Amino acid sequence: MEDLTITRLTGRDLKNWGHLPGPQFPDLLGRANRMQDDGVDVADIRAKLASEIPIPPEHIELHEDGAVTFDENLIPADADEEKNLLKVRETMRAVMRTPTVIGGAIMPDACPAGPIGTIPVGGVVAAQNAIHPGMHSADICCSLMLTDLGDADSATVLDAASKVTHFGPGGRPQGQRFTVSLDLLDAFRANPFLNNAKTIRAAQEQMGTQGDGNHFLFVGRSRQTGHTTLITHHGSRGPGAKLYKAGMEVAEKYRRRHSPQTLKQNAWIPADSDDGRAYWDALQLIRKWTKTNHNSIHQATMEASGASAGERFWNEHNFVFRRGDIYLHGKGATPGWFGFAADADPQGRTIIPLNMAEPVLIVRGKDASHALGFSPHGAGRNWSRTEHMRRLGAKTANEALIEETVGLDVRFHAGKVDASELPSSYKPAAAVSAQIESLDLAEIVDWIDPYGCIMAGEMPRFVRRPKGRR
DNA sequence: ATGTAC
């Protein structure tokens, strides 16, 4: 005789049918049981609920190793540079496996940054319909701005700048803050990636600040015009760092769902999603804030020195640029095609610094296809900070500074010489200049010979407090 | 890069 006992449906049955546990699960099971109580056949119940089985997330596989290639625009000059190139190559090769990536390039100043598979400094990555927060660097919109100050006295300008600019961590003290447009702050509040109390506060407190590391304020003289020239280098400071973090978090959610094989640092936000559109908008707002940051320091320096401004232009070298549906990520790479930004120099000029003792190059990019349209952003480093200290040997940072910056007025805001910013810490400037031209990346149209500069200077190393104690 | 995870 047939057994007519019907076992009551459980969550296990639903899972066997393909349903997934979640907030909707109790209701789903309740409905299944009620149908069963009403005498509905189990097969019919299963069929009735089938439309509620979630569609599994689409998984996107990595590219085969070597399937997507990148262009090398780097001529190593010695064993150190050979070693550097090998490391850059290895990390770039891993980056190229990212599913969204369709191409890449390295610049003459390329050097590794972070674990294998992280876009190097001096790296460019092209992705289709994807924004990779980890590929525009944490210092979103790190950039340079130049103002022609005519016949202003260089010493007067540098002294004035020393008084008005701000280096080091954090923002300006109360009473010395620069104003930030209320419209810009409102726009921050309207963007889901920027509508954060700490981001807004940092945007207010850190306007008119330059941070640390390789950021600088440089005064020099143009070979073309003979004019005194002010150049600043910094990025989006705290607000940008916060945006970077928020972007990485959202990208990580997509990565886990759709491409867990992709390296964490190469996670992306689909550009055509709501998240993608909001993140793109947030990048443009951070860019606007950064431009204002440069402008405010130039303006304050001019007012304090009595100089009047001639032409002014700027360019970012850590950013994402859109050409068609391709998103070009530059991490330490200068965009070199005409009109890379609506507010770029109408003459197509961009700014490439080398080191504190060398002229800053003014170039016109050649939109070289073998460089994805980019040129380098500086001289690049061959060694880590510790390796550089080792190579200085018995020489103190102060002695090295005196030796390497004869005739220049170099000031460290925090007082101590930062050895990692000395000229000897960078690749030979001449080699980078030569490669810009020999590799046909850009035309050098002017040189701003150094008078002097201000940098953050060495700061005491940050040590985190032991966990659980204060 | 950032007062370096709240």
Side-chain angles (χ1 to χ4, degrees):
Chain A
M1 198 176 147
E2 201 185 339
D3 182 8
L4 292 176
T5 318
I6 297 170
T7 21
R8 198 166 173 76
L9 289 169
T10 63
R12 185 186 294 268
D13 296 308
L14 296 189
K15 278 198 272 183
N16 286 341
W17 296 348
H19 293 278
L20 289 180
Q24 83 300 345
F25 212 60
D27 174 66
L28 195 69
L29 185 57
R31 279 186 286 137
N33 288 147
R34 273 195 300 282
M35 284 193 268
Q36 209 177 7
D37 293 344
D38 294 344
V40 182
D41 191 68
V42 170
D44 289 340
I45 296 173
R46 180 173 181 169
K48 269 212 162 61
L49 298 180
S51 67
E52 295 178 49
I53 295 170
I55 299 157
E58 192 191 338
H59 267 235
I60 310 167
E61 302 302 315
L62 292 184
H63 294 311
E64 292 292 325
D65 185 25
V68 178
T69 56
F70 60 95
D71 287 299
E72 290 181 5
N73 299 279
L74 197 173
I75 304 167
D78 57 30
D80 288 319
E81 293 187 6
E82 289 277 7
K83 220 171 103 186
N84 175 68
L85 175 57
L86 288 178
K87 279 190 264 171
V88 168
R89 206 177 265 160
E90 185 187 2
T91 197
M92 223 23 207
R93 187 171 166 148
V95 174
M96 292 295 110
R97 299 199 59 186
T98 309
T100 54
V101 169
I102 58 164
I106 57 166
M107 302 297 120
D109 56 336
C111 46
I116 296 291
T118 308
I119 184 177
V121 171
V124 179
V125 173
Q128 197 140 26
N129 185 37
I131 308 175
H132 295 258
M135 295 185 188
H136 53 48
S137 109
D139 190 12
I140 303 173
C141 201
C142 190
S143 45
L144 290 135
M145 184 177 277
L146 176 154
T147 300
D148 180 330
L149 294 178
D151 59 3
D153 176 61
S154 294
T156 307
V157 172
L158 195 59
D159 284 342
S162 301
K163 289 196 190 83
V164 302
T165 193
H166 178 288
F167 278 95
R172 289 177 169 270
Q174 188 71 271
Q176 289 174 39
R177 295 203 180 131
F178 288 8
T179 53
V180 181
S181 136
L182 296 177
D183 286 345
L184 185 56
L185 293 176
D186 279 344
F188 271 44
R189 290 187 188 96
N191 182 288
F193 282 97
L194 298 171
N195 184 22
N196 169 294
K198 284 183 181 170
T199 306
I200 308 269
R201 198 172 66 161
Q204 290 172 305
E205 294 177 353
Q206 298 185 17
M207 179 53 66
T209 70
Q210 299 193 258
D212 54 28
N214 60 359
H215 297 165
F216 62 73
L217 184 148
F218 174 102
V219 177
R221 181 176 297 274
S222 157
R223 284 190 202 169
Q224 289 293 340
T225 64
H227 292 176
T228 299
T229 305
L230 172 65
I231 298 170
T232 47
H233 175 214
H234 59 257
S236 51
R237 310 280 293 106
K242 297 249 180 343
L243 172 60
Y244 169 76
K245 197 170 276 181
M248 286 300 266
E249 277 170 21
V250 170
E252 176 63 8
K253 282 186 197 156
Y254 284 96
R255 187 190 72 87
R256 287 203 177 164
R257 197 170 158 75
H258 296 294
S259 185
Q261 291 176 300
T262 291
L263 296 173
K264 242 175 128 80
Q265 63 268 42
N266 293 328
W268 72 89
I269 304 175
D272 60 2
S273 65
D274 286 343
D275 283 331
R277 284 180 284 271
Y279 191 67
W280 176 262
D281 290 345
L283 289 172
Q284 309 316 312
L285 288 168
I286 277 296
R287 183 180 185 280
K288 204 167 176 178
W289 185 90
T290 308
K291 184 183 184 183
T292 310
N293 191 11
H294 283 285
N295 271 325
S296 70
I297 294 163
H298 285 236
Q299 202 58 34
T301 300
M302 280 162 42
E303 284 169 18
S305 64
S308 51
E311 62 177 359
R312 176 179 295 178
F313 56 91
W314 81 305
N315 67 271
E316 58 274 58
H317 56 219
N318 289 349
F319 209 61
V320 188
F321 305 86
R322 199 181 152 175
R323 294 185 94 173
D325 66 337
I326 305 302
Y327 289 79
L328 292 166
H329 302 71
K331 175 167 167 178
T334 307
W337 62 95
F338 196 80
F340 62 82
D343 59 356
D345 175 43
Q347 294 179 45
R349 291 168 298 179
T350 54
I351 307 156
I352 303 179
L354 296 166
N355 70 55
M356 56 171 66
E358 292 287 336
V360 174
L361 305 179
I362 307 304
V363 311
R364 200 172 276 125
K366 290 193 169 176
D367 195 9
S369 60
H370 56 274
L372 289 176
F374 287 77
S375 41
H377 86 308
R381 297 177 188 274
N382 277 337
W383 314 298
S384 68
R385 181 194 167 81
T386 33
E387 175 60 12
H388 179 239
M389 289 307 286
R390 201 186 63 77
R391 291 188 190 221
L392 280 183
K395 220 185 289 173
T396 66
N398 249 314
E399 288 164 350
L401 172 74
I402 292 165
E403 207 174 287
E404 296 181 34
T405 62
V406 176
L408 301 178
D409 185 348
V410 175
R411 307 173 184 191
F412 290 95
H413 193 268
K416 259 184 104 182
V417 174
D418 180 355
S420 63
E421 290 308 324
L422 293 175
S424 54
S425 195
Y426 286 91
K427 287 191 201 185
V432 177
S433 302
Q435 288 177 48
I436 288 175
E437 296 194 307
S438 72
L439 296 169
D440 212 25
L441 303 176
E443 175 195 2
I444 302 172
V445 296
D446 197 4
W447 295 257
I448 314 297
D449 287 311
Y451 169 81
C453 67
I454 312 167
M455 297 194 80
E458 183 163 289
M459 276 170 300
R461 209 160 66 86
F462 177 83
V463 262
R464 190 153 33 122
R465 286 190 188 91
K467 236 182 180 174
R469 266 191 275 161
R470 288 202 49 99

